[in-house]
Amino acid sequence: MSASVAHDAACIFCKIIKGEIPSFKLIETKHVYSFLDIQPTSQGHALVIPKWHGAKLHDIPDEYLHDVLPTAKKIAKALNLDADGNYNILQNNGRLAHQEVDHVHFHLIPKPDEKTGLIVGWPAKQADMDQLAKFHKELVAKLES
């Protein structure tokens, strides 16, 4: 990590990127670092992290996000998840959303069976279409401004 890159001296992921804490490194590019998770939910569970310290996705400059999905894709292919494999790509923002480390990170989690890997509950409900249309209009106006 160069001096021009934002980092936090107390952050465990920043320490891993700088080599102060050992890791099972997989792929490193100019902007991302990936390694095997030491508390995996399944074999092959990996993390892909930007080399820019930021707690939430919107804190990370775009150039530090460009390699995230291509890196996850390469790892998925190396794990043969591109054939018949099932897997999740997960990124959490904030404690209520289950973020444990305040440095943006993406999990690649192989899902070989129902009991291994990510276990998700999805409390979906039918939307009120009028309310959804109103919200859509408001959101598009913000996105276009």
Side-chain angles (χ1 to χ4, degrees):
M1 219 190 259
S2 70
S4 64
V5 175
H7 67 277
D8 179 334
C11 172
I12 189 169
F13 287 168
C14 289
K15 289 179 181 183
I16 288 171
I17 292 167
K18 291 188 288 182
E20 295 173 4
I21 295 175
S23 68
F24 292 97
K25 180 170 75 170
L26 298 171
I27 298 171
E28 181 175 11
T29 72
K30 180 179 177 183
H31 295 299
V32 303
Y33 189 95
S34 64
F35 56 99
L36 291 174
D37 195 309
I38 62 169
Q39 294 180 320
T41 62
S42 61
Q43 185 171 350
H45 182 164
L47 295 172
V48 179
I49 59 176
K51 289 182 174 181
W52 185 279
H53 180 82
K56 295 184 178 176
L57 185 63
H58 61 269
D59 297 328
I60 307 300
D62 289 350
E63 64 266 25
Y64 286 86
L65 298 171
H66 289 180
D67 291 345
V68 170
L69 290 179
T71 298
K73 179 180 170 182
K74 286 179 186 177
I75 297 167
K77 285 184 168 192
L79 291 167
N80 284 329
L81 298 175
D82 58 331
D84 294 330
N86 296 288
Y87 60 96
N88 298 94
I89 303 290
L90 176 68
Q91 196 276 318
N92 302 322
N93 293 277
R95 292 293 180 262
L96 285 177
H98 308 287
Q99 183 178 10
E100 297 284 327
V101 177
D102 290 331
H103 184 123
V104 168
H105 54 287
F106 296 76
H107 294 262
L108 181 144
I109 307 170
K111 182 73 175 158
D113 55 61
E114 289 189 23
K115 294 182 181 180
T116 310
L118 184 64
I119 310 295
V120 177
W122 201 272
K125 61 182 179 183
Q126 186 60 42
D128 176 303
M129 297 309 275
D130 291 333
Q131 287 179 353
L132 188 59
K134 181 182 176 194
F135 176 72
H136 173 257
K137 185 177 179 179
E138 293 169 0
L139 185 55
V140 168
K142 289 179 183 178
L143 290 168
E144 293 174 346
S145 62

